[in-house]
Amino acid sequence: MKYCTDCGAKVTQKIPQGDNRLRYVCPKCEMIHYQNPRIIAGCIAQHEDRILLCKRAIEPRLGLWTLPAGFMENQETTLQAAARESYEEASAEISDMALYCTYSIPHISQVYMMYRGTLVNGFSEPGEESLETRLFREDEIPWDQLAFPVITASLELFFEDRKQGHFPLRNGAIYRDEQQNITIENY
């Protein structure tokens, strides 16, 4: 950040009084600009024994498969965001949605909130951000062509829990080290 969004003056970084982190602060109007993680909401949509995946039509990870998910908008709930993203990316209506897993991804300041639900009538078709949509059985999932580690982690938990017939609320974190190695922790 270079300039204050309130008055346009050049910002500096400092720890404001009563805080413990560096923040962008405007020396002119004293506005503190907090930068917080972004929330991504999505859905594991199931029809019979298959899961809906979307092939990405946009960067990042153009051409790879993902669950319908995207950034939460202002003035919506995470449930509304997951339903909206499912519709925008796959023209998919989802029923019986329930929060299934959350993943913190500190190195990119994101939090994923993944729901699970039932794909109404098994219908989907690509939206503007998808090249293709398809239903996959577990043994058909293109594991080496999934767009993001959080999608892989969410699906692995889902299939594990589906075998048990029990879907507890899951929580985890995904870390990337300096050598770009990924570590997934499930709590």
Side-chain angles (χ1 to χ4, degrees):
M1 178 172 215
K2 294 183 181 184
Y3 301 99
C4 178
T5 58
D6 275 10
C7 74
K10 192 168 185 156
V11 295
T12 60
Q13 277 195 312
K14 71 178 193 177
I15 299 174
Q17 184 176 354
D19 204 336
N20 61 3
R21 295 179 186 266
L22 276 176
R23 309 283 186 191
Y24 289 104
V25 179
C26 178
K28 183 176 177 186
C29 72
E30 299 182 0
M31 172 72 157
I32 302 169
H33 297 275
Y34 295 95
Q35 294 181 314
N36 302 103
R38 300 200 58 191
I39 297 172
I40 291 89
C43 191
I44 300 171
Q46 183 172 317
H47 176 70
E48 297 171 352
D49 68 338
R50 295 179 289 162
I51 300 300
L52 173 65
L53 293 179
C54 305
K55 187 178 271 193
R56 292 180 59 82
I58 59 171
E59 291 291 354
R61 314 296 282 162
L62 173 73
L64 296 180
W65 292 94
T66 189
L67 294 167
F71 291 109
M72 184 176 172
E73 297 289 350
N74 290 333
Q75 299 164 354
E76 71 181 351
T77 66
T78 56
L79 178 67
Q80 290 168 333
R84 177 185 50 76
E85 287 291 340
S86 296
Y87 191 78
E88 285 178 1
E89 294 186 7
S91 302
E93 291 184 41
I94 314 298
S95 65
D96 305 318
M97 290 176 66
L99 184 60
Y100 176 59
C101 62
T102 66
Y103 277 100
S104 297
I105 310 177
H107 66 277
I108 55 175
S109 300
Q110 292 181 352
V111 176
Y112 271 75
M113 302 197 66
M114 299 302 290
Y115 287 78
R116 65 180 188 85
T118 302
L119 178 61
V120 175
N121 298 322
F123 175 80
S124 70
E125 65 182 13
E128 287 185 19
E129 296 180 3
S130 300
L131 296 170
E132 178 182 351
T133 62
R134 192 173 351 154
L135 291 167
F136 291 90
R137 287 190 319 266
E138 180 179 3
D139 63 338
E140 298 171 332
I141 299 284
W143 295 101
D144 61 339
Q145 295 173 40
L146 294 178
F148 307 106
V150 68
I151 301 305
T152 302
S154 298
L155 285 172
E156 286 173 346
L157 285 177
F158 176 83
F159 288 124
E160 186 178 306
D161 289 342
R162 189 169 77 173
K163 287 177 185 140
Q164 304 301 316
H166 178 66
F167 294 94
L169 180 59
R170 302 295 200 137
N171 188 25
I174 299 175
Y175 301 98
R176 178 172 285 167
D177 65 20
E178 292 155 6
Q179 288 76 39
Q180 303 301 309
N181 298 312
I182 299 289
T183 302
I184 298 172
E185 292 183 6
N186 291 304
Y187 310 125

